[in-house]
């Protein structure tokens, strides 16, 4: 089974990393890692309730290819939206990866 025909958006993957600052400390940087084809859905009421019980705010599910390099803590950006990846799950068969995400809303006007 292939989900490629369902992936209707292109999202940039941004990843945060720490690098030594040369003075004994660390500098945190966020850099783009590449693009992934994706499908963005809202989770079911049951998925949202389970996330809330676990103390998480799962607002969107983002489906990507099973080989896509998307990790917990990444940001997925595209079409004027940004999503923080809370977790990544895979079915028992490598058909897709589902990133459970939280929409990052912009402040102000």
């Amino acid at each position: 089974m292939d989900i490629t025909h369902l992936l209707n958006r292109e999202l940039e993957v941004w990843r945060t990393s720490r690098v030594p600052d040369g003075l004994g400390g660390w500098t945190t940087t966020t850099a783009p890692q590449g693009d992934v084809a994706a499908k963005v859905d809202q989770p079911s009421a049951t998925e949202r309730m389970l996330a809330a019980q676990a103390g998480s705010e799962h607002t969107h599910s983002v489906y990507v290819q099973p080989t896509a390099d998307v990790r917990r803590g990444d940001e997925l950006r595209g079409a004027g939206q940004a999503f923080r990846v809370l977790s990544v799950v895979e079915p028992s068969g490598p058909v897709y990866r589902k990133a459970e995400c939280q929409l990052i809303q912009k402040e102000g006007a």
Side-chain angles (χ1 to χ4, degrees), residues 26-102:
W26 297 89
T27 300
T28 302
T29 61
T30 302
Q33 302 298 303
D35 296 340
V36 294
K39 179 177 189 305
V40 179
D41 282 340
Q42 291 189 350
S44 69
T46 302
E47 289 175 317
R48 291 183 81 148
M49 181 185 69
L50 290 172
Q53 288 176 344
S56 178
E57 189 178 341
H58 175 197
T59 63
H60 289 77
S61 295
V62 178
Y63 295 88
V64 296
Q65 291 283 357
T67 57
D69 185 16
V70 175
R71 305 176 189 173
R72 181 179 183 268
D74 285 351
E75 279 188 21
L76 304 175
R77 302 176 185 177
Q81 293 181 310
F83 303 95
R84 180 175 297 109
V85 178
L86 305 172
S87 66
V88 179
V89 296
E90 298 177 12
S92 57
V95 178
Y96 62 86
R97 298 182 83 201
K98 180 171 101 173
E100 296 178 346
C101 298
Q102 177 183 25

